[in-house]
Every structure is written in structure tokens, then in C-alpha cells.
Amino acid sequence: MTSLPLVWGDNASMESILSGGAQPAPVYRYWQDQYDMAAVDSLESLEQDDPDIVILAQPRAMDPADLTILDAWVRMGGDVIILTDPDLVWPSELPLGDTRRPLASGLLSPLLGHWGLELVADADRSTEAVDLSFGSYSFATRGAGKLQPMTAGSAPNARCKMASGDFIARCSVGLGQASIVADADFLNAAFWPESTRRSPQNSGAVRFVDSLVEEHIDSIVSKK
């Protein structure tokens, strides 16, 4: 689930989608080749579909029912990866107010707060590109935020550990697992080296997400 122009590419119209002229973003093309993936606008059938992993990449404002469904599904043993950016800097030619524009700031506070987290923007709020490194994965981004622990209002069986300078939180929520990353701009291929736009598997940004997926797959296997 995402508000980013990943599935159909930037500025896609209904005409270009129907005619086959719309092209997915490089990261989404890679995901389609690598995983059995489906884009969704609602989580109402989540329990019935029961995917291995849910990925939220800067999703649009979610219905409270969807947040409740996701929380319950994770607590029953589901796995979710959340990329939520407090200060998205994703260029778009679409006018302000156009519903196709990516969401400028993550709107998952009710869910994150329930799990004991708060998403905050960097105090510097610079729009300059910065290079990030996590183990062997390096990539550029803009407007990365941080995740801060909070206790007031959080559920008792949600426990989160911060990592990488509070850029990542790994949470145990009931029987399930959640990985939350305080950024989504790094999925924008415009920040990648030109060679990796044609070969996304070589992108540090893509391999970073793959590493999160692999962590969750290991968790899923260990539960069986």
C-alpha cells in the first residue's frame, strides 16, 4: 500500500494505464520480479488473504478500520514493514491538491503511538541529499526522520528497539513483528546511481529493503 508513484510511475493517467504506456518505478519492477506482490488500496481482506508480509510505503491516510485490522493481524502473528516519512521530498509535476501526489508527511501516528512510537522530522529539515549507511547497505535520501519511544497510550504487549540512530525501529507486537523506517524518499530512483536505475538489484536502497524482508522471512520460518 503506497501513495508513492511506484506502481504506475510518475504522472500516470488513466489513459496511459489502460494503453499500457504507464511504467512502474524501478523498485516496483524489481519487487514484481522478486516477490509475489499485489498493490492494494484497503486492508479489509487482510485476514482472508493472509500474506507473508505487508509493506506500507508512505501510504495515504488510512481508514481507522484498516489500522485496526492491521494491528489485530500483526498481533496474531503477522509481519509488516512500514516506510513512513515525516518530510517527504519527492518531486512531482502534479499540482498541489492533486490526489495522485505522494503524501508529504506520514499519517500513521495512531498506529505508531499504539505501538509506543512517535515519528518526528529532523530538526535541521534540510532538503539536501544525504548518504546513509546501514551495515553493507548505502544509499542517498532526503528529509529522513527519526522514531522516538513513548510510553503514554501505548499497548502493553508492544515492545520496540531502536537502531541506526533511531532511523529504524524493530517491534514485537503481540505474536507478530513490525519493522518501521523513518523515511521513504530512498525508494526514489532519482537518488540512485544511474547504473542501478536499470539494474535495481544493485541499488543499496533496494538491497536494504530486501534485508528487512529477509529478516521477516526468517521470523516467519522460525514460527513454523
Side-chain angles (χ1 to χ4, degrees):
M1 180 181 285
T2 185
S3 70
L4 304 175
L6 303 180
V7 181
W8 302 114
D10 291 312
N11 304 334
S13 64
M14 185 59 68
E15 292 77 11
S16 63
I17 293 172
L18 293 176
S19 66
Q23 294 294 323
V27 66
Y28 196 78
R29 292 200 305 270
Y30 170 78
W31 285 344
Q32 286 178 309
D33 291 338
Q34 188 77 2
Y35 307 114
D36 180 9
M37 172 173 281
V40 297
D41 295 319
S42 170
L43 298 179
E44 61 182 1
S45 63
L46 180 58
E47 185 175 353
Q48 176 183 343
D49 296 338
D50 195 25
D52 292 323
I53 301 171
V54 168
I55 297 179
L56 305 181
Q58 197 74 348
R60 300 201 179 280
M62 294 174 65
D63 188 284
D66 273 345
L67 296 177
T68 300
I69 290 169
L70 179 61
D71 177 64
W73 180 77
V74 174
R75 290 180 185 280
M76 292 300 294
D79 282 69
V80 61
I81 296 171
I82 298 175
L83 313 179
T84 179
D85 198 315
D87 195 13
L88 192 80
V89 191
W90 196 294
S92 176
E93 296 178 1
L94 297 170
L96 292 174
D98 193 305
T99 57
R100 292 173 294 169
R101 285 182 66 94
L103 197 67
S105 182
L107 295 178
L108 294 175
S109 293
L111 180 66
L112 298 183
H114 193 51
W115 293 349
L117 294 173
E118 180 182 14
L119 175 68
V120 296
D122 192 319
D124 183 30
R125 299 185 72 86
S126 173
T127 59
E128 295 297 319
V130 295
D131 293 321
L132 302 178
S133 294
F134 303 96
S136 60
Y137 312 111
S138 299
F139 50 85
T141 191
R142 292 181 181 176
K146 292 185 177 182
L147 293 156
Q148 295 181 345
M150 53 184 291
T151 55
S154 61
N157 59 347
R159 301 175 302 279
C160 298
K161 294 182 179 179
M162 305 300 163
S164 302
D166 298 338
F167 181 73
I168 305 170
R170 292 180 172 88
C171 303
S172 295
V173 183
L175 299 176
Q177 304 291 326
S179 295
I180 302 100
V181 179
D183 189 64
D185 275 308
F186 69 89
L187 296 180
N188 188 346
F191 296 147
W192 304 356
E194 186 173 353
S195 60
T196 64
R197 297 173 199 171
R198 297 187 297 272
S199 303
Q201 69 274 14
N202 297 324
S203 164
V206 171
R207 291 190 289 115
F208 169 65
V209 178
D210 277 346
S211 72
L212 298 178
V213 172
E214 289 168 4
E215 287 179 12
H216 283 269
I217 290 175
D218 289 343
S219 172
I220 292 167
V221 170
S222 68
K223 296 174 188 174
K224 295 181 178 179

